[in-house]
Amino acid sequence: MAAVLLIPFLSLRFGVLSMLDSSALRRAAHFPPFRGSEKPAYWLYQLSSAALLLGPFFASVHTAPAPLFWSGAALYAFGLLLLLLSVIGFAAPSESGVRHKGVYRISRNPMYVSYFFVFLGCVLLTQSLPLLAALLGFSVALGLLLCAALCLRP
């Protein structure tokens, strides 16, 4: 069962974040109020997130073919490292609320980027097409939500 892959992910996302700053959990879960077309994107985000978290319970890790396995393991490990760095940066906000240090210099949303790498690694490790579909839905939903937040809001 590939669900064991979720343990490090959830430990970093929730455990380490709450140990560093308990208020950071509330900030990380915050979504601004939705307008019009953002609601379907939000529901796609929620459904695809649930599928990403439930999918590994119905999949197993495949070690063959070896290149797929090792590529998946490398992407998964890279995603976990990026998540750790993102959580550390998120737990120490700047006074303005906008982070400009660490991985936040490279990406405005490094936690989401890390989720993509973690779950792409899971897709390759499990060779699961439903998990791939969930990851694609998650990516599309995030793109729509981020575009709405950055492009459409005053």
Side-chain angles (χ1 to χ4, degrees):
M1 188 180 325
V4 71
L5 295 171
L6 295 173
I7 295 170
F9 171 75
L10 294 173
S11 297
L12 288 172
R13 171 62 176 83
F14 295 101
V16 172
L17 188 57
S18 66
M19 285 190 303
L20 293 173
D21 181 6
S22 60
S23 70
L25 281 177
R26 287 187 301 280
R27 286 183 299 147
H30 174 73
F31 276 98
F34 300 112
R35 300 177 186 171
S37 64
E38 293 172 326
K39 289 180 184 179
Y42 173 76
W43 283 108
L44 177 60
Y45 169 82
Q46 292 298 336
L47 291 172
S48 59
S49 294
L52 286 172
L53 293 173
L54 292 174
F57 285 95
F58 302 99
S60 57
V61 173
H62 300 282
T63 57
L68 208 55
F69 172 79
W70 289 112
S71 297
L75 287 169
Y76 177 77
F78 174 73
L80 290 177
L81 176 63
L82 184 58
L83 179 59
L84 176 63
L85 296 173
S86 301
V87 163
I88 290 169
F90 190 83
S94 66
E95 289 183 22
S96 69
V98 177
R99 291 150 203 83
H100 297 286
K101 295 181 181 176
V103 293
Y104 287 89
R105 284 182 297 143
I106 301 165
S107 171
R108 181 73 184 98
N109 298 287
M111 267 196 249
Y112 289 138
V113 175
S114 71
Y115 299 170
F116 178 79
F117 283 111
V118 165
F119 286 107
L120 182 58
C122 289
V123 165
L124 294 176
L125 289 168
T126 61
Q127 300 172 32
S128 168
L129 290 178
L131 201 57
L132 176 60
L135 181 59
L136 292 175
F138 180 80
S139 299
V140 167
L142 277 179
L144 292 172
L145 288 171
L146 293 174
C147 182
L150 298 173
C151 303
L152 303 177
R153 293 188 185 264

